[in-house]
Amino acid sequence: MHGTNILEEADRLMTVCNSCRYCEGLCAVFPAMEMRRSFSDGDLNYFANLCHACGACYTDCQFSPPHEFNVNVPKTLAIARAESWAAYAWPRAFAGLFARNGLAISLIAALSVAAFIFGFTALHDRQVLFGIHSGPGAFYKLMPHNAMAALFGAAFLYAIVALVMGVRAFWRDIGEPIGMLADPPSLWQAMKDATQLRYLDGGGVGCVNEDERPSDLRKIHHHLTFYGFALCFAATCVATLYHYLIAREAPYPWWDLPVVLGTLGGIGLLIGPAGLLKEKWKRDTDLVDQQRMGMDVAFIAMLFLTSLTGMALLLLRDTAAMGPLLALHLGVVFSLFITMPYGKFVHGIYRFVALVRHARERRMMAGGV
Amino acid sequence: MVDLSRKFDCLVIGGGNAALCAAISARRAGASVLVLEGAPKFYRGGNTRHTRNMRCAHDAATDILTGPYTEQEFWEDLQLVTEGQTDEELARHMIRESKDILGWVVEQGVRWQPSLGGTLSLGRTNSFFLGGGRAMLNALYLTAERLGVDILYDAEVLDLDIDNGMFLSADLKQGDGRVSVRAATLVAAAGGFEANIEWLKQYWGEAADNFLIRGTPYNRGSILKMLLNKGVQQVGDPTQCHAVAIDARAPKFDGGIITRHDSVVFGIVVNKNAMRFYDEGEDIWPKRYAIWGRLVAAQPGQIAYIVFDASVRNSFMPTLFPPIEAGSIAELAGKFGLDAAALEKTIADFNAAVRPGTFDHTILDDCRTEGLTPPKTHWAQRIETPPYYAYPVRPGITFTYLGTRVNKQARMLMKDGRPAANMFAAGEIMAGNVLGKGYAAGIGMTIGSVFGRIAGREAAQNARN
């Protein structure tokens, strides 16, 4: 007996799949399944987070609906995956944020933006708020650097702690001790698999989306999103180092490293999420966990808005719009940070951990550990 | 919308591997092609949906095959399983062409996977489709569509207008009415008649009611029957078919691969009288896999039970339906309504006859019985470790061998021996030419691809003349 109905269904499907195995060449889920003859809750949560939702096994399966065996692995694992994130959420009290996640994220984002705008308005008179500020330290006329660093540092730190606690719960659930992290070859393998999205290619031809014609669009847009996010994050890190190490203050000229990284990342974070949203809209509803549509869209929208407000700030920072735009951008980024542990963002973390687990299992099978 | 008022160069009836290979090959040769698939889109492809691999000759190892499998060796394997009941000229021609097919299907978008182990250890002779048969079909359909082949689903053919070996048109069900489709040539690739229980009963009697059909319910043999009724020469024994022992709890139709059992070599098989009836250790499993359907079909009530114990519980592939478990042999017998004393005696006799040896299910090992009838010649181990288990099995029919006679050009032959003017056949509808009886894994797909490609090419050429 399993903890939830969806895990019961996942167990039923894995029993079907394990007696068929036609899909073993498509991705990592099926080889991982083949290493077992029965499945614990943790095993099923592991498979669910290992699944990249490429949909190939659905299109290739002779038993997918309308067949009476009703085998729909991508959708079942998508639901199990989302339920597992809520189960791992830390602190437990916030697990509820995963239900009606789209609404929750929207409210938190709106409140966060409102708080920044309110704060800016309360603390500054009109001349400062709509004034033209330029040159190093311009942003800090509206919000002192130390206040900014303290607030965002705390939000970021909180997100990290909450994510680490969630991952710890996942680790325990999938029966892999923390020692997994001390296995560099598995980590390296997982890093390669994750950064290349190796398993989002349907075994080589591409992802299945709106029909049986595979394409690489989801993969390309995911790459733009992920690497866009990574570049923006790198821009923030470089800027922090600039500030503390060489006392160079933001805003930086357009040719300076933080701006170049941020601009490239920002472009990726505009095109990537837009593309992902478009593909999601077209996606065959049989493959989708309809109930979590809001969660997916909320995260995509947050990334898009982060980039959009950031790019607007870059373009208009020498105008009177700088103050309101800064409030808007900081509000969006703040809410992105604090909601990270309670939304679609966690998929990347859990999937990476699942990939490490898989790499390690394979090495153990091959006698490499 | 497909314009059905035009005359096509080539009409392909069927929608599986053979049909699509024929359609693609005819289209590549310049012909206009219409494919009529009788099933709805999801069920397109007949039994190809459930296949996994193809047997092809090759002279050297490749990245998907572990070693050479020469034409001669393929021929010897075919002779072995058919016990000589094959058209040698046609079979040798097919084997020769199969060498080229491995690469040809890849050009049509099909992908092979490196053998990862698991189900069948046939890495040398057979190539496995990445994602299985339905993935292979999806690739063929995409290619056919891209090339401009017209495809109709739910396209049931009601009648064929054939005049003295010359195909003229086919009548197609369209809603409540019917429409006539004209074409210069016909490729019949519509499978066997295994889903037609009434027809099976003509040869098997009431026993056919207890058969389970492993594949599509759409293979009712209607095209085959029309062709035979209109003067095409028949080939093959109507009682011959590919039949394996599958789980008795499987659905009547379309249970596919996952209802099969490969545990036979690890235990014993008894009938409803709790008696053994065949040597379970005769040969390596993939080689003898396809005899057990017929063996079970010959037993009373068409049912049998694979009995084993806890010591081998995890030695074979996991199964869809779990084995029935019991603490004692008598309790196990009771769960199936078998005579407990009879089953206990059968197992006691078997256990007493087992001679010590070194168990290895990957080779013909030296674990065997002595003085037992029938013997278990390999992998014989005592059944003595509780809990005890059993799977109930019935005959699972994959496809039938009765078909249309063809020549090397895949052209149908008429009853008087003349070649048909413009009619070709490929796949299971003509498999009986090559497979008089027996089966070896993956040959169905070889027949389909090889004769499909030939039929399409010849039909295109025929249409031009």
Side-chain angles (χ1 to χ4, degrees):
Chain A
M1 282 302 287
H2 291 284
T4 64
N5 289 340
I6 199 68
L7 292 179
E8 284 293 333
E9 173 65 359
D11 187 309
R12 182 186 77 85
L13 295 190
M14 290 297 105
T15 303
V16 173
C17 295
N18 214 9
S19 57
C20 173
R21 300 189 172 183
Y22 282 14
C23 286
E24 64 186 358
L26 293 182
C27 74
V29 171
F30 301 101
M33 169 197 77
E34 288 179 21
M35 293 178 195
R36 295 156 172 82
R37 293 183 81 94
S38 61
F39 313 101
S40 67
D41 282 7
D43 290 334
L44 297 168
N45 285 332
Y46 160 49
F47 300 159
N49 281 285
L50 197 52
C51 168
H52 287 52
C54 79
C57 64
Y58 178 83
T59 314
D60 290 352
C61 180
Q62 64 269 47
F63 304 120
S64 55
H67 194 282
E68 64 183 283
F69 289 161
N70 195 27
V71 174
N72 189 337
V73 174
K75 184 173 182 166
T76 305
L77 292 190
I79 300 170
R81 191 158 60 236
E83 288 193 1
S84 78
W85 302 337
Y88 302 133
W90 183 92
R92 295 286 312 135
F94 289 169
L97 287 174
F98 278 96
R100 309 190 71 188
N101 187 262
L103 182 67
I105 302 278
S106 315
L107 285 176
I108 292 169
L111 283 174
S112 172
V113 169
F116 274 90
I117 291 176
F118 181 78
F120 278 25
T121 326
L123 293 171
H124 305 291
D125 52 34
R126 284 184 64 88
Q127 280 82 354
V128 180
L129 191 58
F130 294 106
I132 292 174
H133 310 278
S134 54
F139 295 150
Y140 310 134
K141 300 226 166 58
L142 289 150
M143 186 172 184
H145 181 266
N146 287 345
M148 215 185 268
L151 187 63
F152 283 85
F156 190 62
L157 200 66
Y158 172 78
I160 298 273
V161 170
L163 285 169
V164 166
M165 295 304 283
V167 164
R168 207 165 135 249
F170 181 44
W171 252 317
R172 289 182 171 164
D173 199 18
I174 65 178
E176 181 62 24
I178 297 290
M180 175 166 81
L181 281 179
D183 187 27
S186 299
L187 276 172
W188 175 237
Q189 181 63 49
M191 252 178 249
K192 284 192 290 184
D193 293 344
T195 51
Q196 294 167 14
L197 286 178
R198 175 173 169 196
Y199 297 118
L200 196 66
D201 70 352
V205 283
C207 181
V208 175
N209 200 41
E210 64 270 30
D211 55 25
E212 72 276 12
R213 293 170 181 77
S215 96
D216 280 326
L217 283 173
R218 280 182 79 211
K219 188 167 173 171
I220 291 165
H221 287 120
H222 191 288
H223 277 327
L224 285 168
T225 305
F226 174 78
Y227 288 102
F229 183 85
L231 285 171
C232 289
F233 188 70
T236 310
C237 292
V238 172
T240 307
L241 293 176
Y242 271 18
H243 187 91
Y244 288 109
L245 292 183
I246 55 173
R248 202 198 280 212
E249 290 199 331
Y252 304 103
W254 65 266
W255 47 261
D256 211 347
L257 192 54
V259 182
V260 172
L261 290 172
T263 306
L264 288 174
I267 293 168
L269 268 187
L270 286 176
I271 304 171
L276 283 176
L277 194 62
K278 187 176 171 219
E279 293 304 305
K280 188 165 285 295
W281 230 253
K282 289 193 296 185
R283 194 160 172 81
D284 181 351
T285 52
D286 287 347
L287 295 167
V288 180
D289 171 11
Q290 228 78 19
Q291 276 198 307
R292 273 76 176 189
M293 202 64 176
M295 172 170 73
D296 296 2
V297 174
F299 182 54
I300 289 172
M302 286 303 291
L303 291 174
F304 185 82
L305 287 176
T306 300
S307 177
L308 190 68
T309 54
M311 296 294 266
L313 185 60
L314 176 68
L315 289 174
L316 303 174
R317 65 187 183 187
D318 292 328
T319 73
M322 191 268 262
L325 281 174
L326 184 63
L328 190 62
H329 184 57
L330 292 180
V332 171
V333 173
F334 184 79
S335 57
L336 178 71
F337 275 11
I338 57 165
T339 58
M340 267 180 183
Y342 312 109
K344 185 65 186 275
F345 176 81
V346 300
H347 84 280
I349 311 280
Y350 291 130
R351 183 157 291 141
F352 177 74
V353 171
L355 284 167
V356 180
R357 171 84 165 117
H358 183 59
R360 187 171 157 86
E361 264 183 354
R362 284 174 58 157
R363 273 166 39 74
M364 285 165 79
M365 286 280 281
V369 174
Chain B
M1 277 305 287
V2 180
D3 175 15
L4 294 179
S5 64
R6 65 183 286 204
K7 183 178 179 184
F8 289 87
D9 292 330
C10 179
L11 179 71
V12 177
I13 302 181
N17 168 45
L20 269 288
C21 285
I24 289 170
S25 137
R27 184 77 192 111
R28 287 198 186 279
S32 60
V33 182
L34 173 65
V35 172
L36 300 178
E37 163 58 284
K41 187 174 178 185
F42 171 79
Y43 281 103
R44 72 184 182 187
N47 284 333
T48 306
R49 293 174 68 246
H50 293 295
T51 62
R52 188 183 199 200
N53 61 72
M54 190 190 291
R55 181 179 292 255
C56 293
H58 49 277
D59 293 326
T62 68
D63 47 353
I64 53 158
L65 292 154
T66 56
Y69 184 52
T70 61
E71 287 182 42
Q72 184 58 25
E73 194 182 351
F74 193 159
W75 166 243
E76 282 162 12
D77 282 346
L78 186 65
Q79 261 191 313
L80 200 71
V81 296
T82 60
E83 294 171 8
Q85 292 186 40
T86 178
D87 179 328
E88 177 165 356
E89 191 196 5
L90 217 54
R92 283 191 182 271
H93 183 58
M94 178 193 82
I95 290 170
R96 203 171 310 122
E97 291 261 322
S98 80
K99 290 167 87 166
D100 197 33
I101 280 287
L102 268 176
W104 187 79
V105 296
V106 171
E107 287 163 25
Q108 314 320 317
V110 173
R111 294 173 300 147
W112 301 112
Q113 81 169 23
S115 182
L116 305 172
T119 48
L120 299 165
S121 44
L122 289 173
R124 188 174 68 87
T125 60
N126 289 45
S127 314
F128 290 71
F129 303 123
L130 184 63
R134 193 170 165 222
M136 185 254 197
L137 272 173
N138 289 343
L140 291 181
Y141 271 95
L142 286 180
T143 300
E145 284 168 12
R146 205 185 62 240
L147 292 173
V149 170
D150 283 315
I151 297 161
L152 282 183
Y153 298 106
D154 293 305
E156 188 187 348
V157 173
L158 300 171
D159 198 11
L160 297 175
D161 188 0
I162 293 169
D163 181 23
N164 196 22
M166 171 95 174
F167 167 78
L168 299 169
S169 67
D171 275 8
L172 188 63
K173 191 175 175 186
Q174 285 279 285
D176 292 334
R178 57 203 280 166
V179 61
S180 188
V181 188
R182 291 168 307 134
T185 60
L186 170 74
V187 175
F193 64 99
E194 62 277 358
N196 191 334
I197 305 288
E198 291 308 308
W199 195 351
L200 288 173
K201 276 186 180 176
Q202 284 182 26
Y203 316 110
W204 290 90
E206 295 307 306
D209 272 334
N210 287 326
F211 292 178
L212 301 175
I213 312 308
R214 301 180 73 205
T216 167
Y218 297 91
N219 277 356
R220 299 182 47 78
S222 51
I223 302 300
L224 172 62
K225 188 163 263 177
M226 286 173 208
L227 290 169
L228 297 182
N229 285 344
K230 291 179 192 255
V232 176
Q233 193 180 141
Q234 175 177 321
V235 70
D237 173 350
T239 70
Q240 287 294 337
C241 55
H242 178 259
V244 301
I246 66 168
D247 201 292
R249 295 162 288 183
K252 184 74 179 170
F253 293 102
D254 217 53
I257 186 74
I258 63 179
T259 59
R260 56 93 168 75
H261 288 296
D262 56 4
S263 47
V264 167
V265 294
F266 295 96
I268 60 168
V269 184
V270 300
N271 61 20
K272 72 189 259 187
N273 301 323
M275 304 292 284
R276 289 177 62 245
F277 51 88
Y278 199 79
D279 177 4
E280 302 90 349
E282 186 186 46
D283 204 344
I284 297 287
W285 184 240
K287 289 194 180 173
R288 302 313 282 157
Y289 172 63
I291 67 168
W292 282 88
R294 299 186 72 80
L295 290 171
V296 175
Q299 297 306 307
Q302 294 71 51
I303 189 143
Y305 305 90
I306 306 168
V307 181
F308 54 97
D309 69 8
S311 66
V312 294
R313 173 73 180 87
N314 290 334
S315 303
F316 44 86
M317 276 277 291
T319 54
L320 173 66
F321 300 101
I324 304 295
E325 182 182 327
S328 69
I329 296 294
E331 186 193 344
L332 191 66
K335 289 192 169 178
F336 294 108
L338 302 179
D339 184 317
L343 187 60
E344 279 175 334
K345 182 177 186 311
T346 296
I347 288 181
D349 289 350
F350 171 76
N351 285 348
V354 170
R355 291 290 157 263
T358 310
F359 183 85
D360 183 350
H361 77 277
T362 61
I363 55 165
L364 295 168
D365 73 1
D366 60 353
C367 295
R368 58 187 180 81
T369 59
E370 221 171 75
L372 189 70
T373 311
K376 185 173 178 184
T377 48
H378 304 283
W379 314 299
Q381 298 183 105
R382 287 198 190 94
I383 298 170
E384 56 186 6
T385 315
Y388 300 97
Y389 297 95
Y391 290 111
V393 290
R394 286 202 181 279
I397 315 297
T398 316
F399 67 95
T400 49
Y401 291 0
L402 177 73
T404 58
R405 188 176 286 284
V406 297
N407 65 15
K408 272 165 63 180
Q409 283 75 46
R411 190 183 290 269
M412 291 185 218
L413 299 179
M414 306 306 290
K415 282 194 176 105
D416 57 13
R418 281 182 307 129
N422 60 351
M423 301 195 295
F424 304 83
E428 283 165 11
I429 203 168
M430 48 66 68
N433 287 275
V434 178
L435 284 173
K437 68 184 288 190
Y439 193 71
I443 286 192
M445 295 302 279
T446 317
I447 295 171
S449 289
V450 167
F451 286 101
R453 183 171 73 150
I454 294 172
R457 191 175 60 211
E458 296 291 327
Q461 194 177 2
N462 204 107
R464 267 199 303 275
N465 295 338

